[in-house]
Structures are given as structure tokens and as C-alpha cells.
CSV table of all heavy atoms in Angstrom, one decimal:
chain,number,residue,atom,x,y,z
A,1,GLN,N,41.4,37.6,113.7
A,1,GLN,CA,41.4,37.7,112.3
A,1,GLN,C,40.9,39.0,111.9
A,1,GLN,O,40.3,39.8,112.6
A,1,GLN,CB,40.4,36.6,111.7
A,1,GLN,CG,40.7,35.2,112.1
A,1,GLN,CD,42.0,34.7,111.3
A,1,GLN,OE1,42.4,35.2,110.3
A,1,GLN,NE2,42.8,33.8,112.1
A,2,THR,N,41.3,39.4,110.7
A,2,THR,CA,40.9,40.7,110.1
A,2,THR,C,39.3,40.7,110.1
A,2,THR,O,38.6,39.8,109.7
A,2,THR,CB,41.3,40.8,108.6
A,2,THR,OG1,42.8,40.9,108.7
A,2,THR,CG2,40.8,42.1,108.0
A,3,GLY,N,38.8,41.9,110.5
A,3,GLY,CA,37.4,42.0,110.6
A,3,GLY,C,36.8,41.7,112.0
A,3,GLY,O,35.6,42.0,112.2
A,4,GLY,N,37.6,41.1,112.8
A,4,GLY,CA,37.1,40.6,114.1
A,4,GLY,C,37.1,41.7,115.1
A,4,GLY,O,37.5,42.9,114.8
A,5,SER,N,36.9,41.3,116.3
A,5,SER,CA,36.8,42.2,117.4
A,5,SER,C,37.6,41.7,118.6
A,5,SER,O,37.8,40.5,118.8
A,5,SER,CB,35.3,42.4,117.8
A,5,SER,OG,34.5,43.0,116.9
A,6,LEU,N,38.0,42.7,119.5
A,6,LEU,CA,38.8,42.3,120.6
A,6,LEU,C,38.5,43.4,121.6
A,6,LEU,O,38.2,44.6,121.3
A,6,LEU,CB,40.3,42.3,120.3
A,6,LEU,CG,41.2,41.4,121.2
A,6,LEU,CD1,40.8,40.0,121.1
A,6,LEU,CD2,42.6,41.6,120.6
A,7,ARG,N,38.5,43.1,123.0
A,7,ARG,CA,38.3,44.0,124.0
A,7,ARG,C,39.6,44.0,124.9
A,7,ARG,O,39.9,42.9,125.4
A,7,ARG,CB,37.1,43.8,124.8
A,7,ARG,CG,36.8,44.8,125.9
A,7,ARG,CD,35.5,44.6,126.6
A,7,ARG,NE,35.3,45.5,127.7
A,7,ARG,CZ,34.9,46.8,127.6
A,7,ARG,NH1,34.6,47.2,126.4
A,7,ARG,NH2,34.8,47.5,128.6
A,8,LEU,N,40.0,45.2,125.2
A,8,LEU,CA,41.1,45.4,126.1
A,8,LEU,C,40.6,46.0,127.4
A,8,LEU,O,39.6,46.8,127.3
A,8,LEU,CB,42.2,46.4,125.6
A,8,LEU,CG,42.9,45.9,124.3
A,8,LEU,CD1,43.9,47.0,123.9
A,8,LEU,CD2,43.4,44.6,124.4
A,9,SER,N,41.1,45.7,128.5
A,9,SER,CA,40.7,46.2,129.8
A,9,SER,C,42.0,46.7,130.5
A,9,SER,O,43.0,46.2,130.3
A,9,SER,CB,40.1,45.2,130.7
A,9,SER,OG,38.8,44.8,130.1
A,10,CYS,N,41.8,47.7,131.3
A,10,CYS,CA,42.9,48.3,132.1
A,10,CYS,C,42.4,48.5,133.6
A,10,CYS,O,41.5,49.2,133.8
A,10,CYS,CB,43.3,49.6,131.5
A,10,CYS,SG,44.7,50.5,132.4
A,11,ALA,N,43.1,47.9,134.5
A,11,ALA,CA,42.7,48.0,135.9
A,11,ALA,C,43.7,49.0,136.5
A,11,ALA,O,45.0,48.9,136.3
A,11,ALA,CB,42.9,46.7,136.6
A,12,ALA,N,43.1,50.0,137.2
A,12,ALA,CA,43.9,51.1,137.8
A,12,ALA,C,43.9,50.9,139.3
A,12,ALA,O,42.8,50.6,139.9
A,12,ALA,CB,43.3,52.4,137.3
A,13,SER,N,45.0,51.3,139.9
A,13,SER,CA,45.1,51.4,141.4
A,13,SER,C,45.9,52.6,141.7
A,13,SER,O,46.7,53.1,141.0
A,13,SER,CB,45.6,50.2,142.0
A,13,SER,OG,47.1,49.9,141.5
A,14,GLY,N,45.7,53.1,142.9
A,14,GLY,CA,46.3,54.3,143.4
A,14,GLY,C,45.5,55.6,143.2
A,14,GLY,O,44.4,55.5,142.7
A,15,ARG,N,46.0,56.6,143.5
A,15,ARG,CA,45.2,57.9,143.5
A,15,ARG,C,46.1,59.0,143.0
A,15,ARG,O,47.3,59.0,143.1
A,15,ARG,CB,44.7,58.3,144.9
A,15,ARG,CG,43.8,57.3,145.5
A,15,ARG,CD,43.3,57.7,146.9
A,15,ARG,NE,42.5,56.7,147.5
A,15,ARG,CZ,41.2,56.5,147.3
A,15,ARG,NH1,40.6,57.3,146.5
A,15,ARG,NH2,40.6,55.6,147.9
A,16,THR,N,45.5,60.0,142.4
A,16,THR,CA,46.1,61.3,142.0
A,16,THR,C,45.4,62.5,142.6
A,16,THR,O,44.2,62.4,143.1
A,16,THR,CB,46.1,61.4,140.4
A,16,THR,OG1,44.8,61.7,140.0
A,16,THR,CG2,46.6,60.1,139.9
A,17,SER,N,46.1,63.7,142.5
A,17,SER,CA,45.4,64.9,142.9
A,17,SER,C,45.1,65.8,141.7
A,17,SER,O,44.8,67.0,141.9
A,17,SER,CB,46.4,65.7,143.9
A,17,SER,OG,47.6,66.0,143.2
A,18,TRP,N,45.0,65.2,140.6
A,18,TRP,CA,44.7,66.0,139.4
A,18,TRP,C,43.3,66.6,139.4
A,18,TRP,O,42.3,65.9,139.8
A,18,TRP,CB,44.9,65.2,138.1
A,18,TRP,CG,46.2,64.6,137.9
A,18,TRP,CD1,47.4,65.3,138.1
A,18,TRP,CD2,46.6,63.4,137.4
A,18,TRP,NE1,48.5,64.5,137.9
A,18,TRP,CE2,48.0,63.3,137.4
A,18,TRP,CE3,45.8,62.2,137.0
A,18,TRP,CZ2,48.7,62.1,136.9
A,18,TRP,CZ3,46.5,61.1,136.6
A,18,TRP,CH2,47.9,61.0,136.5
A,19,ASP,N,43.1,67.8,139.0
A,19,ASP,CA,41.7,68.4,139.0
A,19,ASP,C,41.0,67.8,137.8
A,19,ASP,O,39.8,67.6,137.9
A,19,ASP,CB,41.9,69.9,138.8
A,19,ASP,CG,42.4,70.6,140.0
A,19,ASP,OD1,42.3,70.1,141.1
A,19,ASP,OD2,43.0,71.7,140.0
A,20,TRP,N,41.7,67.6,136.7
A,20,TRP,CA,41.1,67.0,135.6
A,20,TRP,C,41.9,65.7,135.3
A,20,TRP,O,43.1,65.7,135.1
A,20,TRP,CB,41.2,67.9,134.3
A,20,TRP,CG,40.2,69.0,134.4
A,20,TRP,CD1,40.5,70.2,135.1
A,20,TRP,CD2,38.9,69.2,133.8
A,20,TRP,NE1,39.4,71.0,135.0
A,20,TRP,CE2,38.4,70.4,134.2
A,20,TRP,CE3,38.1,68.3,133.1
A,20,TRP,CZ2,37.2,70.9,133.8
A,20,TRP,CZ3,37.0,68.7,132.7
A,20,TRP,CH2,36.5,70.0,133.0
A,21,TYR,N,41.2,64.6,135.2
A,21,TYR,CA,41.8,63.3,135.1
A,21,TYR,C,41.2,62.5,133.9
A,21,TYR,O,40.1,62.7,133.6
A,21,TYR,CB,41.5,62.4,136.4
A,21,TYR,CG,42.1,61.0,136.4
A,21,TYR,CD1,43.4,60.9,136.8
A,21,TYR,CD2,41.4,59.9,136.0
A,21,TYR,CE1,44.0,59.6,136.9
A,21,TYR,CE2,42.0,58.7,136.1
A,21,TYR,CZ,43.3,58.5,136.5
A,21,TYR,OH,43.8,57.3,136.6
A,22,ALA,N,42.2,61.9,133.2
A,22,ALA,CA,41.8,61.2,132.0
A,22,ALA,C,42.6,59.9,132.0
A,22,ALA,O,43.7,59.8,132.4
A,22,ALA,CB,42.0,62.0,130.8
A,23,THR,N,42.0,58.9,131.4
A,23,THR,CA,42.6,57.6,131.0
A,23,THR,C,42.5,57.3,129.5
A,23,THR,O,41.5,57.9,128.9
A,23,THR,CB,42.1,56.4,131.9
A,23,THR,OG1,40.7,56.3,131.7
A,23,THR,CG2,42.4,56.6,133.4
A,24,GLY,N,43.3,56.5,129.0
A,24,GLY,CA,43.1,56.1,127.6
A,24,GLY,C,44.2,55.2,127.1
A,24,GLY,O,44.8,54.4,127.9
A,25,TRP,N,44.3,55.1,125.9
A,25,TRP,CA,45.2,54.1,125.2
A,25,TRP,C,46.0,54.7,124.2
A,25,TRP,O,45.6,55.6,123.4
A,25,TRP,CB,44.3,53.1,124.6
A,25,TRP,CG,43.5,52.2,125.6
A,25,TRP,CD1,42.2,52.6,126.0
A,25,TRP,CD2,43.8,51.0,126.2
A,25,TRP,NE1,41.8,51.6,126.8
A,25,TRP,CE2,42.8,50.7,127.1
A,25,TRP,CE3,45.0,50.2,126.2
A,25,TRP,CZ2,42.7,49.5,127.8
A,25,TRP,CZ3,45.0,49.1,126.9
A,25,TRP,CH2,43.8,48.7,127.8
A,26,PHE,N,47.3,54.2,124.1
A,26,PHE,CA,48.2,54.5,123.0
A,26,PHE,C,48.6,53.1,122.4
A,26,PHE,O,48.4,52.1,123.1
A,26,PHE,CB,49.4,55.2,123.3
A,26,PHE,CG,49.2,56.7,123.7
A,26,PHE,CD1,48.6,57.0,124.9
A,26,PHE,CD2,49.7,57.7,122.9
A,26,PHE,CE1,48.3,58.4,125.2
A,26,PHE,CE2,49.4,59.0,123.2
A,26,PHE,CZ,48.7,59.4,124.3
A,27,ARG,N,49.1,53.1,121.2
A,27,ARG,CA,49.7,51.9,120.7
A,27,ARG,C,50.9,52.2,119.9
A,27,ARG,O,51.2,53.3,119.5
A,27,ARG,CB,48.6,51.2,119.7
A,27,ARG,CG,48.3,52.0,118.5
A,27,ARG,CD,47.2,51.3,117.7
A,27,ARG,NE,46.9,52.0,116.4
A,27,ARG,CZ,46.0,51.7,115.5
A,27,ARG,NH1,45.1,50.7,115.9
A,27,ARG,NH2,45.8,52.3,114.4
A,28,GLN,N,51.7,51.1,119.7
A,28,GLN,CA,52.9,51.2,118.9
A,28,GLN,C,53.0,50.0,118.0
A,28,GLN,O,53.1,48.9,118.5
A,28,GLN,CB,54.1,51.2,119.8
A,28,GLN,CG,55.5,51.5,119.1
A,28,GLN,CD,56.6,51.9,120.1
A,28,GLN,OE1,56.5,51.7,121.2
A,28,GLN,NE2,57.7,52.4,119.4
A,29,ALA,N,52.9,50.3,116.7
A,29,ALA,CA,53.0,49.3,115.7
A,29,ALA,C,54.4,49.0,115.3
A,29,ALA,O,55.3,49.9,115.5
A,29,ALA,CB,52.1,49.6,114.5
A,30,PRO,N,54.7,47.8,114.8
A,30,PRO,CA,56.1,47.6,114.4
A,30,PRO,C,56.6,48.5,113.4
A,30,PRO,O,56.0,48.9,112.4
A,30,PRO,CB,56.0,46.2,113.7
A,30,PRO,CG,54.8,45.5,114.3
A,30,PRO,CD,53.9,46.6,114.6
A,31,GLY,N,57.8,49.2,113.7
A,31,GLY,CA,58.4,50.1,112.8
A,31,GLY,C,57.8,51.5,113.0
A,31,GLY,O,58.2,52.4,112.2
A,32,LYS,N,56.9,51.8,113.9
A,32,LYS,CA,56.3,53.0,114.1
A,32,LYS,C,56.4,53.5,115.5
A,32,LYS,O,56.7,52.8,116.4
A,32,LYS,CB,54.8,52.9,113.7
A,32,LYS,CG,54.5,52.6,112.3
A,32,LYS,CD,53.0,52.5,112.0
A,32,LYS,CE,52.3,53.8,112.3
A,32,LYS,NZ,50.8,53.7,112.0
A,33,GLY,N,56.2,54.9,115.7
A,33,GLY,CA,56.2,55.5,117.0
A,33,GLY,C,54.9,55.2,117.7
A,33,GLY,O,53.9,54.7,117.1
């Protein structure tokens, strides 16, 4: 409901060789990029 809370989680597996590594979130709403 509006005003409520929710928690998302993301489980990662595998490896990279990046010197600088970041994780995060994007979203796509209906009718938007």
C-alpha cells in the first residue's frame, strides 16, 4: 500500500576482474524508460 515498505534482495554468483566493482538497482515503470 501507499506509504508502506518493501525490501528487495539480490543474490550474486560468479566473479569479475573489475578494479572497481559496484552493484545497484534500476527500475522501469509502465510507459517509462
